[in-house]
Amino acid sequence: MKRNNLKMFTQISSYIALAMVIVLPLFLIPTISGNHVVPIIRPLLLLTFLLSVFGIPLSIVSMFSKENLAKRMIVLMINGSPLGILVYGLMMEFIDEFLRTAP
């Protein structure tokens, strides 16, 4: 595939990143106010998370296109952030469980 044709991968991954930027604050607002999450938002957040995980390989492939480098890097960071937060949480749980001092 030519480098000019890889622009569509950048477009798809940028739309996924844009959806993540829009949906994530909708999930955080009820958490800050103390109310429960609206049942409609939870599947939307799960769908957006799965789309962002799907967007990571698309962002990696789009790194070889001739699109603007800043756009490609920002999209890769946004698509990788939910997975990075999940890995960070699991790592902190592991450290808390196994490296804590004995009672």
Side-chain angles (χ1 to χ4, degrees), residues 10-64:
T10 307
Q11 287 292 337
I12 293 169
S13 61
S14 66
Y15 289 141
I16 293 171
L18 183 65
M20 191 66 197
V21 168
I22 291 172
V23 171
L24 191 63
L26 292 176
F27 179 71
L28 293 177
I29 290 171
T31 306
I32 293 171
S33 66
N35 297 333
H36 296 288
V37 177
V38 180
I40 297 171
I41 296 176
R42 188 167 295 231
L44 186 64
L45 183 69
L46 180 65
L47 177 69
T48 309
F49 174 77
L50 293 175
L51 278 175
S52 71
V53 171
F54 175 71
I56 293 171
L58 291 177
S59 297
I60 292 171
V61 169
S62 74
M63 284 295 167
F64 298 106

